[in-house]
Amino acid sequence: MDTESQDLARITPLQQMVASCSGALLTSLFVTPLDVVKIRLQAQQKDFMKNKCFVYCNGLMDHVCYCYNGHAKDLWYRRPAYFEGTLDAFVKITKTEGITSLWSGLPPTLVMALPATVLYFTVYDQLRNSLKKKFKNDDESLQFWIPVVAGGTARTFAATLISPLEMIRTKMQSRRFSYSEIGQAVKKMVKNEGFFSLWKGLNATLLRDVPFSCLYWANYENFKRIFEQPNPTFGFSFFAGACSGTVAAVVTLPFDVVKTHRQIELGEIEVMKDNKPPPKKITDVMMNIYKQRGASGLFTGIVPRVVKVAPACAIMISTYEAGKAFFRGYNEAAAFPVVAAAHSDRL
């Protein structure tokens, strides 16, 4: 196909959004049950049940929640049941509460996750394509940095845009608020602490997510280049996405540990209105973890993180690439119906 044909067959930003939306939906549907089980198991531990904030992630975004001893029965992660392990938890939850309970909290997750993921993938693709066109005749080493820059920029943009909504959701998860009460709480916070108080905790989020995105896209695009897959198949993108996600998850795990600590501290301050001093600097948190637990403390939870991140990345990117391939074929058929029909006959 010549250059003009390729341009006509390119997918539009709207089509990219639809493809990424389908990927986000499938990823969330797959990973949410794993988090429901994990939180149920954690809820059995005494330390977990002493009015503390905790963080869980469904593969697309993090959630800050708060444990209330007085209202345990009202919260999905504190329902009475004792589990002997992961498999036992799956069986008991399904048997006693129904299989839909494995997707508790999915609707509010999708309300936040879908727009964030759509923004992230669409901005990445658009920026990467623009940079490739601009530097297409430059040194090969420069091509390596294009997905790094595009991935980091796209993640920064998406996380910054969604951050105020994250803060509002944290307050909503603390206890039952009406929408008018949420509005009043947000207005009061902005009045007392300034407009940029809506972006509290963003630096901790970017500390983990930007390096992760840079590493992930650099590895993924490198896989495509090595195996000569400019338009990868579903199987290849699934494999490359899982490998790239695993590498990025392991390397950025210390940032994830720090982010969790910061999010919990912010959650306790914002949700419970504690009179605690402000959270420590990120470097202080990291040094404190290192002093208390050593280097291993910065890599706490490496197994569950990899087990969750690898399939989540694989499902997301393979579904996204499959969606783009569908729209690419659709656009090509619409632009060149005769050629597409002849090709179809040959198949």
Side-chain angles (χ1 to χ4, degrees):
M1 184 181 293
D2 57 23
T3 304
E4 182 181 0
S5 301
Q6 290 177 342
D7 289 339
L8 288 172
R10 282 184 59 190
I11 63 175
T12 65
L14 179 60
Q15 290 171 335
Q16 288 178 320
M17 291 180 184
V18 174
S20 58
C21 186
S22 61
L25 179 60
L26 286 177
T27 303
S28 190
L29 288 172
F30 174 80
V31 180
T32 296
L34 301 178
D35 265 306
V36 170
V37 170
K38 184 190 74 173
I39 296 302
R40 294 291 193 89
L41 291 171
Q42 287 178 336
Q44 297 175 160
Q45 302 172 12
K46 288 185 178 180
D47 290 342
F48 183 84
M49 301 175 71
K50 292 181 179 178
N51 287 342
K52 292 292 182 181
C53 287
F54 69 95
V55 179
Y56 77 96
C57 174
N58 72 335
L60 293 173
M61 61 193 307
D62 293 339
H63 302 258
V64 181
C65 289
Y66 192 85
C67 298
Y68 282 91
N69 285 340
H71 306 283
K73 293 182 180 179
D74 295 334
L75 303 177
W76 62 268
Y77 51 82
R78 296 285 301 278
R79 289 172 188 159
Y82 205 89
F83 311 116
E84 297 177 2
T86 302
L87 182 60
D88 183 56
F90 270 110
V91 173
K92 285 183 177 178
I93 291 173
T94 303
K95 185 176 180 180
T96 60
E97 303 175 24
I99 193 169
T100 56
S101 185
L102 291 172
W103 284 270
S104 298
L106 181 61
T109 295
L110 292 177
V111 168
M112 292 286 293
L114 291 182
T117 306
V118 166
L119 277 172
Y120 173 48
F121 277 82
T122 304
V123 170
Y124 169 77
D125 257 355
Q126 293 293 318
L127 183 56
R128 183 202 60 183
N129 291 339
S130 297
L131 291 174
K132 277 189 173 182
K133 284 183 178 180
K134 186 175 182 179
F135 301 104
K136 62 182 178 181
N137 297 323
D138 288 347
D139 189 270
E140 183 68 23
S141 61
L142 185 61
Q143 298 298 317
F144 170 82
W145 292 103
I146 289 177
V148 174
V149 173
T153 303
R155 177 58 71 185
T156 301
F157 177 78
T160 302
L161 202 61
I162 294 296
S163 186
L165 299 179
E166 292 270 7
M167 179 65 69
I168 293 172
R169 190 194 56 213
T170 298
K171 289 182 176 293
M172 292 185 71
Q173 287 180 328
S174 64
R175 57 184 181 271
R176 292 181 179 177
F177 279 112
S178 66
Y179 287 105
S180 61
E181 289 173 331
I182 285 292
Q184 292 172 2
V186 171
K187 288 180 181 179
K188 185 177 180 181
M189 184 172 67
V190 171
K191 182 179 179 180
N192 295 336
E193 304 177 42
F195 179 72
F196 292 103
S197 63
L198 293 173
W199 280 268
K200 278 186 176 180
L202 177 62
N203 57 345
T205 299
L206 296 179
L207 178 68
R208 180 199 67 177
D209 289 357
V210 171
F212 181 95
S213 294
C214 292
L215 284 169
Y216 174 78
W217 288 113
N219 286 321
Y220 181 72
E221 297 293 346
N222 196 42
F223 269 114
K224 288 169 61 177
R225 185 167 54 252
I226 291 173
F227 292 96
E228 298 180 352
Q229 293 274 343
N231 297 316
T233 62
F234 182 90
F236 176 84
S237 56
F238 189 95
F239 168 78
C243 293
S244 303
T246 298
V247 172
V250 172
V251 174
T252 61
L253 184 58
F255 300 137
D256 184 56
V257 173
V258 172
K259 179 179 183 291
T260 298
H261 279 258
R262 285 293 303 272
Q263 230 174 354
I264 289 174
E265 289 173 343
L266 284 169
E268 289 176 341
I269 290 173
E270 292 300 320
V271 171
M272 296 307 297
K273 296 181 173 58
D274 276 348
N275 294 320
K276 295 181 180 180
K280 300 176 182 178
K281 294 180 180 178
I282 292 173
T283 52
D284 292 337
V285 175
M286 187 172 288
M287 287 303 300
N288 189 42
I289 295 171
Y290 179 78
K291 289 178 181 178
Q292 291 181 352
R293 304 179 184 178
S296 61
L298 294 171
F299 288 89
T300 302
I302 187 169
V303 173
R305 177 161 164 78
V306 170
V307 167
K308 187 191 311 181
V309 169
C313 288
I315 294 171
M316 181 65 222
I317 194 63
S318 57
T319 307
Y320 180 56
E321 293 284 13
K324 290 198 298 182
F326 169 79
F327 285 117
R328 198 176 294 116
Y330 174 84
N331 292 346
E332 183 180 347
F336 304 97
V338 176
V339 176
H343 179 68
S344 177
D345 292 339
R346 288 197 300 270
L347 294 177

